[in-house]
Coordinates of all heavy atoms in Angstrom, one line a residue:
L887 N -31.8 246.8 5.7 CA -32.5 247.1 4.6 C -32.2 246.2 3.4 O -33.1 245.8 2.6 CB -32.3 248.6 4.2 CG -32.7 249.6 5.2 CD1 -32.4 251.0 4.7 CD2 -34.2 249.5 5.5
V888 N -31.0 245.7 3.3 CA -30.7 244.7 2.3 C -31.4 243.4 2.5 O -31.9 242.8 1.6 CB -29.1 244.5 2.2 CG1 -28.8 243.3 1.3 CG2 -28.4 245.8 1.7
I889 N -31.4 243.0 3.8 CA -32.2 241.8 4.2 C -33.7 241.9 3.8 O -34.3 241.0 3.3 CB -32.0 241.5 5.7 CG1 -30.6 241.1 6.0 CG2 -33.0 240.4 6.2 CD1 -30.3 241.0 7.5
C890 N -34.2 243.1 4.1 CA -35.6 243.4 3.8 C -35.9 243.3 2.3 O -36.9 242.8 1.8 CB -36.1 244.7 4.4 SG -36.2 244.7 6.2
T891 N -34.9 243.9 1.5 CA -35.0 243.8 0.1 C -35.0 242.4 -0.4 O -35.7 242.0 -1.4 CB -33.9 244.7 -0.6 OG1 -34.0 246.0 -0.1 CG2 -34.1 244.7 -2.1
A892 N -34.1 241.6 0.2 CA -34.0 240.1 -0.2 C -35.4 239.4 0.1 O -35.8 238.6 -0.7 CB -32.9 239.5 0.6
L893 N -36.0 239.8 1.2 CA -37.3 239.2 1.5 C -38.3 239.6 0.5 O -39.2 238.8 0.0 CB -37.8 239.6 2.9 CG -37.1 239.0 4.1 CD1 -37.5 239.7 5.4 CD2 -37.5 237.5 4.2
I894 N -38.3 240.8 0.0 CA -39.2 241.3 -1.0 C -38.9 240.5 -2.3 O -39.9 240.1 -3.0 CB -39.1 242.8 -1.2 CG1 -39.6 243.5 0.0 CG2 -39.7 243.3 -2.5 CD1 -39.4 245.0 0.0
A895 N -37.7 240.3 -2.6 CA -37.3 239.5 -3.8 C -37.9 238.1 -3.7 O -38.4 237.6 -4.7 CB -35.8 239.5 -4.0
I896 N -37.8 237.5 -2.6 CA -38.3 236.1 -2.4 C -39.8 236.2 -2.6 O -40.4 235.3 -3.2 CB -38.0 235.6 -1.0 CG1 -36.5 235.3 -0.8 CG2 -38.8 234.4 -0.6 CD1 -36.1 235.0 0.6
G897 N -40.5 237.2 -2.1 CA -42.0 237.3 -2.3 C -42.4 237.4 -3.7 O -43.2 236.7 -4.2
Y898 N -41.7 238.3 -4.5 CA -42.1 238.5 -5.9 C -41.7 237.2 -6.7 O -42.5 236.8 -7.6 CB -41.4 239.7 -6.5 CG -42.1 241.0 -6.2 CD1 -41.6 241.9 -5.3 CD2 -43.3 241.3 -6.8 CE1 -42.3 243.1 -5.0 CE2 -44.0 242.5 -6.6 CZ -43.5 243.4 -5.7 OH -44.1 244.6 -5.4
A899 N -40.5 236.7 -6.5 CA -40.1 235.5 -7.3 C -41.0 234.3 -6.9 O -41.4 233.6 -7.8 CB -38.6 235.2 -6.9
G900 N -41.3 234.1 -5.7 CA -42.1 233.0 -5.3 C -43.5 233.1 -5.9 O -44.0 232.1 -6.4
M901 N -44.2 234.2 -5.7 CA -45.5 234.4 -6.3 C -45.5 234.4 -7.8 O -46.4 233.9 -8.4 CB -46.1 235.7 -5.7 CG -46.4 235.7 -4.3 SD -47.2 237.2 -3.6 CE -48.8 237.2 -4.4
G902 N -44.4 234.9 -8.4 CA -44.4 235.0 -9.9 C -44.1 233.6 -10.5 O -44.7 233.4 -11.6
L903 N -43.3 232.8 -9.8 CA -43.0 231.5 -10.4 C -43.9 230.4 -10.0 O -43.9 229.3 -10.7 CB -41.5 231.2 -10.1 CG -40.4 232.1 -10.6 CD1 -39.1 231.8 -10.0 CD2 -40.4 232.1 -12.1
T904 N -44.6 230.5 -9.0 CA -45.5 229.4 -8.5 C -46.9 229.5 -9.0 O -47.5 230.6 -8.9 CB -45.5 229.5 -6.9 OG1 -44.2 229.5 -6.4 CG2 -46.3 228.3 -6.4
T905 N -47.3 228.4 -9.5 CA -48.7 228.3 -10.0 C -49.6 227.5 -9.1 O -50.8 227.4 -9.4 CB -48.7 227.8 -11.5 OG1 -48.1 226.5 -11.5 CG2 -48.0 228.8 -12.4
A906 N -49.0 226.8 -8.2 CA -49.8 225.9 -7.2 C -50.6 226.8 -6.3 O -50.3 228.0 -6.1 CB -48.8 225.1 -6.4
W907 N -51.6 226.2 -5.7 CA -52.6 227.0 -4.9 C -51.9 227.6 -3.7 O -52.3 228.6 -3.1 CB -53.7 226.1 -4.4 CG -53.3 225.0 -3.4 CD1 -52.9 223.7 -3.8 CD2 -53.2 225.1 -2.0 NE1 -52.6 223.0 -2.6 CE2 -52.8 223.8 -1.5 CE3 -53.5 226.1 -1.1 CZ2 -52.6 223.6 -0.2 CZ3 -53.3 225.8 0.3 CH2 -52.9 224.6 0.7
W908 N -50.8 227.0 -3.2 CA -50.1 227.4 -2.0 C -49.1 228.6 -2.3 O -48.4 229.0 -1.4 CB -49.4 226.3 -1.3 CG -48.6 225.4 -2.2 CD1 -48.9 224.2 -2.8 CD2 -47.2 225.7 -2.7 NE1 -47.9 223.7 -3.6 CE2 -46.9 224.6 -3.5 CE3 -46.3 226.7 -2.4 CZ2 -45.6 224.6 -4.1 CZ3 -45.1 226.7 -3.1 CH2 -44.7 225.6 -3.9
G909 N -49.1 229.1 -3.5 CA -48.2 230.1 -3.8 C -48.3 231.4 -3.0 O -47.4 232.2 -2.8
F910 N -49.5 231.5 -2.4 CA -49.8 232.7 -1.5 C -48.8 232.8 -0.3 O -48.7 233.9 0.2 CB -51.2 232.8 -1.1 CG -51.6 231.7 -0.1 CD1 -51.3 231.9 1.3 CD2 -52.1 230.5 -0.5 CE1 -51.6 230.9 2.2 CE2 -52.4 229.5 0.4 CZ -52.2 229.7 1.8
V911 N -48.2 231.7 0.1 CA -47.4 231.7 1.3 C -46.2 232.7 1.1 O -45.7 233.3 2.1 CB -46.8 230.3 1.6 CG1 -48.0 229.4 2.0 CG2 -46.0 229.8 0.5
F912 N -45.8 232.9 -0.2 CA -44.7 233.9 -0.4 C -45.1 235.3 -0.1 O -44.2 236.1 0.1 CB -44.2 233.7 -1.9 CG -43.5 232.4 -2.2 CD1 -44.2 231.4 -2.8 CD2 -42.2 232.2 -1.8 CE1 -43.5 230.2 -3.1 CE2 -41.5 231.0 -2.0 CZ -42.2 230.0 -2.7
Y913 N -46.4 235.6 -0.1 CA -46.8 236.9 0.3 C -46.4 237.3 1.7 O -46.1 238.5 2.0 CB -48.3 237.0 0.2 CG -49.0 238.2 0.7 CD1 -48.8 239.4 0.0 CD2 -49.7 238.3 1.9 CE1 -49.4 240.6 0.5 CE2 -50.2 239.4 2.4 CZ -50.1 240.6 1.6 OH -50.6 241.8 2.1
F914 N -46.2 236.3 2.6 CA -45.9 236.6 3.9 C -44.5 237.2 4.0 O -44.1 237.8 5.0 CB -46.0 235.4 4.8 CG -47.5 234.9 4.8 CD1 -47.7 233.5 4.8 CD2 -48.5 235.7 4.9 CE1 -49.0 233.0 4.8 CE2 -49.8 235.3 4.9 CZ -50.1 233.9 4.9
A915 N -43.6 236.9 3.0 CA -42.3 237.5 3.0 C -42.4 239.1 2.9 O -41.6 239.8 3.6 CB -41.5 237.0 1.8
F916 N -43.3 239.6 2.2 CA -43.5 241.0 2.1 C -43.9 241.5 3.5 O -43.5 242.6 3.9 CB -44.7 241.4 1.1 CG -44.4 241.0 -0.3 CD1 -45.1 240.0 -0.9 CD2 -43.4 241.7 -1.0 CE1 -44.9 239.7 -2.3 CE2 -43.2 241.3 -2.4 CZ -43.9 240.3 -3.0
C917 N -44.7 240.8 4.2 CA -45.2 241.2 5.5 C -44.1 241.3 6.5 O -44.0 242.3 7.3 CB -46.4 240.3 6.0 SG -47.7 240.2 4.8
F918 N -43.3 240.3 6.6 CA -42.1 240.3 7.5 C -41.2 241.5 7.1 O -40.7 242.2 8.0 CB -41.4 239.0 7.4 CG -41.9 237.9 8.2 CD1 -42.4 236.7 7.6 CD2 -42.0 238.0 9.6 CE1 -42.9 235.7 8.4 CE2 -42.5 237.0 10.4 CZ -43.0 235.8 9.8
S919 N -41.0 241.7 5.8 CA -40.1 242.8 5.4 C -40.6 244.1 5.9 O -39.9 245.0 6.4 CB -39.9 242.8 3.9 OG -39.1 243.8 3.5
R920 N -41.9 244.4 5.6 CA -42.5 245.7 6.0 C -42.5 245.9 7.5 O -42.2 247.0 8.0 CB -44.0 245.7 5.5 CG -44.6 247.1 5.7 CD -45.9 247.2 4.9 NE -47.0 246.4 5.3 CZ -47.5 245.4 4.7 NH1 -46.9 245.0 3.5 NH2 -48.5 244.7 5.1

Side-chain angles (χ1 to χ4, degrees):
L887 295 180
V888 172
I889 291 171
C890 291
T891 304
L893 285 171
I894 289 171
I896 291 171
Y898 277 109
M901 291 180 68
L903 295 173
T904 305
T905 56
W907 68 269
W908 47 264
F910 68 84
V911 298
F912 291 101
Y913 172 73
F914 300 138
F916 297 112
C917 302
F918 278 118
S919 177
R920 187 163 69 251

